[in-house]
Amino acid sequence: MEQMEDLKYEVKHGIKGKGDYLTLNEWFDVWLNTHKKKSIKESTLSRYDYCYKNYVQKKLGKKKLADFKPILLERLFQDMADNDYSTKTIRDICNILSAVFKYAVHNRLITYNPCDGVELPRTKKKPIRVLSLQEQREVLKHARGRLHENLIIVALGTGMRAGELLGLTDEDLDFQKKEIRINKTLVYIKDLTTGKYVFKYQTPKTESGKRVIPMQESVYKALKRQRIQKKEMQIAAAAWEPLEGFEKLVFVGRNGRPIAEHAFQSALNWIVKAVNKDREKQAQEDKTDFVPMEHIYPHALRHTFATRCFEAGIEAKTVQKYLGHSSVAITLDIYTHVTNDKAKEEMNKLENFYQKII
């Protein structure tokens, strides 16, 4: 412990250290808690800590900084690719390690950054999960009358991220203009000082994340119902205990407290089980094969909204604004599955027109 405090002092005052006695674990702690702590959001700090501890610490954490070579890191990334980790996850780990080593170079602990020149392995691009129209109907059917029904309707009708939905407060809703203002997100993160998980509001990652989404009629009605539902739950609750600072949340649990994303996930898991129970029963009656509904995660509702927008012919630039992407290129890159299909449809229209000319 005393050695770590000495190290932090050396770093703060620019005193030269030695990369041949420092482990990656020790240096990561200095980088995160001395260098980055005051310059990044708490959720980002928590994410860096989670990524490092889950993907790097056990495999490479005890190695000395001076012992790192590009081949060592390439093996780590290839192992991750072989275990079907996504390209984004591998790239995120590489970026974190590169920043850690860059700071070590800056402090004269090592002479070069071993991440420089590392080639990331190719990974299979996983298809995004989008509900078909039939699946969307099934989800809404089984959500009916349940605690999170309105949350799911609003998710499918706005494309908001889970944290944006769960962080909605009364002042974000304008029922007269039928608009939702998005200016914050609710996170449930580990406080690295106490080790406890806490709810916090944070601003969106980018300025484009701050936006206004029009309420379509289904969303308008769901939000109106949610307001009534919250009052009814408050009356019925044996103990209504909203957290201080979170009293005006639109979506809350039965005790008035904020909803964590894992509770949202649990609600979707229950719905998938209910759908599959119905499907299995129907398959037995019809003497057909049982085809189960695949897993649904909250972000899949966002993907489903965007897909429905494209299918309805809404322009990509408008969809980008709904989703809060920083550029239309990001929107088009994510939803190539539907934009390609749309392009084929449009070409068929042109072909039909040409047939009339010929």
Side-chain angles (χ1 to χ4, degrees), residues 19-28 52 56-68 72:
D20 54 356
Y21 78 82
L22 276 173
T23 66
L24 181 61
N25 280 344
E26 290 169 333
W27 187 244
F28 175 80
Y52 180 80
V56 182
Q57 190 176 62
K58 286 183 181 177
K59 293 184 177 180
L60 300 176
K62 292 181 180 179
K63 289 189 176 294
K64 301 292 189 288
L65 289 179
D67 293 338
F68 276 89
L72 197 63

Side-chain angles (χ1 to χ4, degrees), residues 37-48:
K37 195 166 188 175
K38 293 180 181 178
S39 63
I40 57 177
K41 292 180 181 178
E42 281 187 76
S43 60
T44 306
L45 199 72
S46 181
R47 184 169 62 84
Y48 287 169

Side-chain angles (χ1 to χ4, degrees), residues 131-159:
L131 304 187
S132 67
L133 284 169
Q134 177 59 27
E135 285 181 316
Q136 192 166 337
R137 290 189 200 101
E138 289 176 296
V139 166
L140 291 172
K141 174 188 171 184
H142 287 279
R144 201 168 296 137
R146 295 191 61 79
L147 174 64
H148 298 311
E149 176 187 5
N150 297 321
L151 174 65
I152 289 168
I153 291 171
V154 175
L156 285 166
T158 62

Side-chain angles (χ1 to χ4, degrees), residues 9 44 63 89 117 123 132 177 195 223 246 255-256 279 294 325:
Y9 179 86
T44 306
K63 289 189 176 294
T89 299
T123 56
S132 67
K177 291 183 179 179
L223 290 169
F246 300 91
N255 57 0
R279 286 189 179 190
E294 293 178 11
H325 287 156

